[in-house]
Structures are given as structure tokens and as C-alpha cells.
Amino acid sequence: MPLDKVAPTDREVPSLTSRIFRIIFLVAFVTELICVLVMSLILVQALEREKQTELSTEATAFVQTLKATDDAKRAALMPSFATKNLRVTWIDEQGAVLYDSGIDGVVATENHSNRPEVIAAHKSGAGTAKRLSSTLGEVTYYHATQLDDGTVLRLAATQNNALSALRGLLVPALLVLVATALIAALIARRLARRIAAPLLTLNLDEPLTNKVYDEATPLLERMDEQKRRIATQAKEGLATRREFTANVSHELKTPLTVISGYAELMQSGQARAEDTQHFAGLIFSEAEHMQELVEDILIISQLDEEEATFTDERRGSEEQGVSELRGDERIELVDLDKLASDCIYRLTPFADQHNVSVSLKSEPELLVRGSKRILSSMVYNLCENAIRYNKAGGSVAVEVAQQKENVVLSVTDTGIGIAPEYQERVFERFFRVDKTRSRETGGTGLGLSIVKHAAAYHGAELSLTSSPETGTTVSVIFAANAQ
Ligand code: ATP
Ligand code: MG
């Protein structure tokens, strides 16, 4: 995985303890809040009931006293009923205030006939009412009783309301909250440790043998699956590497035997003077072949490491025409027409030698984002094969075209073709259909493997159609977003 694909991990992850703490505390806090609200509501109602009962008891007592008093002396008696917390108002039948003990030193003089408690008292003998005071957070309760002479005696008392009830609960509530926080922290720490303990002692070698929680089973299954996958990959990787090393050694051995054989002949003086030049030529061509082989191996190893690193999001974010480096590779917009014509030019002597004609048909300005070097090696290998496995007088047609969203490069030859059973295998490393023949023609079986890796590197698809009668076509299909 290339480094630039790794997501940033500097985000802070909350600990299990703090997560549990937050949950417990939140639940406790909400519960407490609801409790406090309900309690103050109940409290307010109880206080209200108590106050009204108190007022009515006092009123009954006063009415008894007044009944036993002469009408004329009643007015004199009124002030004796009033206390600091109890306001006494005497109202005549028309609502005029006959006496008022007042509130905070203010005495009422206006007509009281429209007060609900007074109206109720006229109607049914007694009436109560509750009004918010001008002072915030206070409620005044009224109790009015009609006397036998038609006048009304009204008692009033002021009481703190819900707000003050809440205020009273504030300190205990805060104390409970602090205690809750402490307990929550304690529980959270213990719980987190308990939950984490079995996870910390997991047997990672055999994930499925662990007995943890039901909820952890998917995780354990995934671990097991990954473990198996890694093991299989490692095994496969080892096998591929072994095979590759064996193949490389084998491929190098043949030219080396030839080289050392002729060199030995020349060194020992057994070679005739007129043969020396011929032998040197053979040594030179084998050495050249080895050089090509080593170059191919290097390309394949490099592509192996960088396999398909074109991610969609990167393609999207790149600006057209700007070149960048990926590893050692320069990534830029490559003109396939120009690239193909360069390859064909380089292969002209090779084509002449095989008596094969090569043509190029291309729409101009078909650009593909990628590495010029790798793409060039891909096209070169395809054209080289098309010439090498052709018939004398045959032809090769290279075509670059836009097909719907894609850019397609295809190389078609009129050569010997590939039998259906080999058509997949030709992309394997060191695979050659006809070992002896291609050995003579100089092939090592790495060309199409390079093509396959190069296509994967560019996120392109490969297709091969071939028949021994008509020849072979290999197409490289570049996805739209690789352009
Ligand atoms: P190298 O390309 O490494 O020099 P090579 O040509 O033998 O060697 P590949 O290019 O990988 O190796 O091809 C593998 C085999 O597939 C070839 O040996 C040949 O038998 C067969 N092949 C490839 N291209 C064609 C083609 N256009 N027509 C017929 N056979 C082909
Ligand atoms: Mg080849």
C-alpha cells in the first residue's frame, strides 16, 4: 500500500472508561433532573393545599368570632385578625373595601366586587383564588367567606412558588450530581477494565478458540479469516518467489554456458584464429540476451511492488496535464499515438529482418495518465511479439482509438497465433508456447508478463483474441478516468 493512501490517524480516540463514564453520567443526570422537577411539582401542590386549608380553618374561626359579635363592634375586631403573614380584607356587598390590613404597608381602596373569590363567596358562601404576586416567585392565596350580613371577609397569604421550591432543591441536587459523577467514574473504570480484560488476553494464534462475548464473535471470525488469508498469501508468495528464482537461474544458465564455453575455447588457444571473431560474436549476442533478461526481471520486480496504485480518488483530484512522481516513476499525460510510433520506429530493423510490415492507425491527442517508460515497455513488447511470432511477408497493425469512454490500444498480427489452451498462460512469467523455437528467436517468456503488470499498474484491462489461422490481437483498454 502506498504511503499516501494511509488515512491520517492523529485523531484522538476516547478511552472505553470515558465512554462508559459519559453514558452512566448522562443517564444519571437526566434521571436526577426528572426527579427534581417531579418532586418540586409535588411539593408545590402540597404547599398550596396546606395553605388553602390553613386559610379556610382560620376563616371558620374568625367567622365564629364575628357571629358572636355585634354588628357595630365587628369593624373594631378586624385588625386583631391580621398578622404579619395574614392579610385581612372586609368588603361590603357592593365590593367597597370596609377594612384592609394591607400588604407591605399598602392598603387596597378600589372596588373588589369583580375578584373571583369575592364573586364565588357571594354565590356559594365561600370562594378561593390564587394569583401570582407582583414579586417574582411568589403566589398569593385568597379565601373569601360571606358573612350573615352580606359582607365578605377575605383572608390572603403569600407563599413561595415552584421557583423557590426548586431553589431549595438546588444545593442537594448539585451534591447528588457530584456524588453521581464520582460513582460513575468508579463504575466506568471497573467496567472498562472488566470488558477489556478478556480482549487483552486473546489467543491471537487461534482466534476461534477464545471464549469472550457473543458480541466479539464477528471480530474473532474476521481475525481468523485474516490470519488464514495472510498465511495463504505468504505460502503463495514463497512459492512464486521460489519458482521465479528457479526460472531466472535456469534462463541465465543457458547463455552463461555458451559464453563460458566459447571463452574457454578462446582462452585455451584451441580456437582457430579465423573462428575467434565468430565466437566473440556469439559471446556478445548471448551477453546481450542476458542483459535484456536482467532488464525485464528488474521491470517486473518493480511493477510487482507498485501494482495498481491508481486510486479513483487520486485520479479525481489530479489536475490535467500536471506531472507528478510516484515512487521513482514520473506520472504524466502520455500521448499514445506518439508512444506507439516511437516503438514502431525502434523495431523497424527487427521487422525488416523478419520481413514483416508494421502500420499505425491512430486518432491524435489520445492521452492516458501514466508512466511513459512503463507504457512504452508495454507497447514495445506487444509489437515485438507481433513481429517475432509472425510469418514472412506478414503484417502488424497497431491501432489507438477512442471507444466510448475508453482509450484502446490494440496490436494485431497475421502471425502463427496462440492455441486456445495457452491463451491465458502466455501472461505467466517465463511461459513460452514453443520452448525450442522461441529460445532460437531469443524470447525468454517475460514480455507478456511485463505487459500484464504494466496494464494493472495503469488500471487498464487486457484482452487477447487469437487463432492459429488468422493471427493474434492483444488490446489494452484504459478506463476513462485513467485519462
Ligand atoms: P520475451 O518477450 O521475454 O523476450 P517471449 O516473447 O517468449 O519472450 P512473451 O512475450 O511473454 O515471451 O510471450 C510468451 C509466449 O507467448 C511466447 O513465447 C509465444 O509463444 C507466445 N506469444 C506471444 N505473443 C504472441 C503472438 N503475437 N503470436 C503468437 N504467439 C505469441
Ligand atoms: Mg515477447
Side-chain angles (χ1 to χ4, degrees):
M1 195 184 197
L3 275 177
D4 55 1
K5 270 176 112 178
V6 178
T9 51
D10 49 6
R11 196 167 51 92
E12 267 207 27
V13 182
S15 69
L16 188 58
T17 308
S18 75
R19 277 185 191 208
I20 297 176
F21 171 78
R22 273 186 236 169
I23 294 169
I24 297 180
F25 187 71
L26 197 77
V27 171
F29 179 73
V30 172
T31 314
E32 195 189 333
L33 206 70
I34 293 170
C35 282
V36 165
L37 283 175
V38 170
M39 269 165 65
S40 36
L41 226 82
I42 293 171
L43 206 73
V44 165
Q45 278 181 349
L47 286 174
E48 192 177 317
R49 262 199 310 277
E50 193 192 305
K51 206 78 211 173
Q52 286 290 9
T53 318
E54 206 181 295
L55 284 180
S56 115
T57 317
E58 270 170 317
T60 316
F62 293 162
V63 169
Q64 287 299 329
T65 317
L66 289 171
K67 261 187 185 165
T69 314
D70 290 345
D71 284 3
K73 289 182 183 161
R74 282 183 179 178
L77 225 95
M78 289 294 168
S80 71
F81 295 154
T83 64
K84 190 167 158 280
N85 296 319
L86 187 72
R87 179 182 177 189
V88 176
T89 316
W90 190 25
I91 304 149
D92 76 5
E93 273 171 293
Q94 279 72 47
V97 176
L98 300 172
Y99 169 76
D100 184 25
S101 67
I103 184 160
D104 296 333
V106 182
V107 175
T109 49
E110 74 273 19
N111 192 290
H112 271 44
S113 59
N114 56 355
R115 302 289 152 101
E117 70 276 10
V118 176
I119 294 170
H122 281 311
K123 221 174 176 181
S124 58
T128 59
K130 174 176 91 174
R131 284 197 283 278
L132 281 179
S133 303
S134 50
T135 318
L136 187 74
E138 281 183 350
V139 181
T140 306
Y141 298 98
Y142 298 93
H143 185 99
T145 320
Q146 190 174 36
L147 302 179
D148 45 12
D149 61 358
T151 60
V152 169
L153 175 71
R154 191 188 72 172
L155 304 182
T158 299
Q159 171 85 292
N160 288 340
N161 71 350
L163 218 64
S164 16
L166 265 175
R167 215 177 295 147
L169 283 171
L170 202 65
V171 176
L174 278 177
L175 283 176
V176 170
L177 211 63
V178 173
T180 311
L182 286 175
I183 295 168
L186 221 74
I187 295 176
R189 234 173 71 152
R190 288 209 167 183
L191 219 58
R193 274 194 202 157
R194 266 206 206 174
I195 293 171
L199 297 176
L200 294 177
T201 53
L202 280 182
N203 176 2
L204 295 181
D205 291 328
E206 286 169 63
L208 290 184
T209 60
N210 292 294
K211 299 265 171 289
V212 200
Y213 320 107
D214 238 16
E215 291 86 341
T217 311
L219 171 77
L220 294 174
E221 280 170 357
R222 260 176 51 207
M223 279 164 73
D224 186 64
E225 194 190 302
Q226 194 179 33
K227 204 174 131 349
R228 280 169 206 275
R229 208 177 47 232
I230 291 171
T232 321
Q233 275 172 357
K235 236 188 247 166
E236 280 172 6
L238 198 69
T240 322
R241 261 203 304 282
R242 273 209 194 116
E243 194 193 316
F244 188 60
T245 317
N247 284 333
V248 169
S249 324
H250 179 78
E251 290 301 328
L252 287 174
K253 230 157 82 189
T254 323
L256 274 176
T257 316
V258 176
I259 289 172
S260 69
Y262 287 122
E264 196 186 9
L265 269 179
M266 286 158 71
Q267 188 206 28
S268 64
Q270 283 174 357
R272 285 178 295 158
E274 58 264 40
D275 286 337
T276 317
Q277 203 181 0
H278 174 60
F279 290 168
L282 287 172
I283 291 175
F284 178 68
S285 92
E286 287 299 332
E288 247 189 346
H289 175 61
M290 273 174 68
Q291 210 168 356
E292 272 170 25
L293 180 67
V294 170
E295 262 165 31
D296 283 355
I297 291 169
L298 285 178
I299 292 184
I300 288 192
S301 321
Q302 189 207 350
L303 286 177
D304 251 355
E305 278 167 30
E306 299 189 15
E307 195 102 298
T309 45
F310 258 14
T311 59
D312 287 335
E313 63 267 29
R314 282 191 55 194
R315 276 182 205 142
S317 64
E318 278 164 13
E319 251 188 50
Q320 291 260 322
V322 178
S323 75
E324 50 151 339
L325 280 176
R326 191 192 320 145
D328 289 334
E329 228 36 72
R330 177 168 292 284
I331 302 301
E332 59 198 311
L333 285 176
V334 181
D335 183 345
L336 284 184
D337 172 41
K338 169 123 192 3
L339 190 103
S341 86
D342 282 353
C343 285
I344 293 169
Y345 177 74
R346 274 159 59 210
L347 281 164
T348 310
F350 187 63
D352 291 346
Q353 201 186 317
H354 283 77
N355 191 17
V356 169
S357 64
V358 184
S359 65
L360 170 65
K361 192 176 137 199
S362 165
E363 294 168 25
E365 287 292 307
L366 284 182
L367 304 176
V368 155
R369 178 168 290 280
S371 153
K372 201 186 243 170
R373 197 178 69 89
I374 297 173
L375 287 170
S376 173
S377 159
M378 177 167 84
V379 177
Y380 186 91
N381 268 296
L382 287 176
C383 293
E384 191 191 32
N385 283 352
I387 297 168
R388 183 180 284 162
Y389 306 107
N390 220 312
K391 296 167 182 163
S395 66
V396 173
V398 182
E399 197 178 336
V400 183
Q402 177 93 37
Q403 286 183 8
K404 287 185 197 152
E405 311 253 273
N406 305 325
V407 171
V408 179
L409 178 139
S410 58
V411 180
T412 305
D413 63 53
T414 56
I416 57 170
I418 305 166
E421 63 265 36
Y422 298 129
Q423 288 181 5
E424 283 215 353
R425 298 207 60 198
V426 289
F427 293 100
E428 288 174 16
R429 287 168 184 171
F430 296 110
F431 182 86
R432 287 166 301 199
V433 173
D434 183 347
K435 306 266 182 297
T436 34
R437 189 178 183 275
S438 47
R439 177 81 206 109
E440 282 161 18
T441 49
T444 50
L446 287 176
L448 285 181
S449 179
I450 291 177
V451 170
K452 187 176 93 177
H453 279 78
Y457 183 86
H458 289 88
E461 259 180 56
L462 272 179
S463 98
L464 182 147
T465 49
S466 179
S467 81
E469 293 87 39
T470 51
T472 306
T473 300
V474 181
S475 304
V476 192
I477 302 141
F478 294 93
N481 42 12
Q483 295 156 41

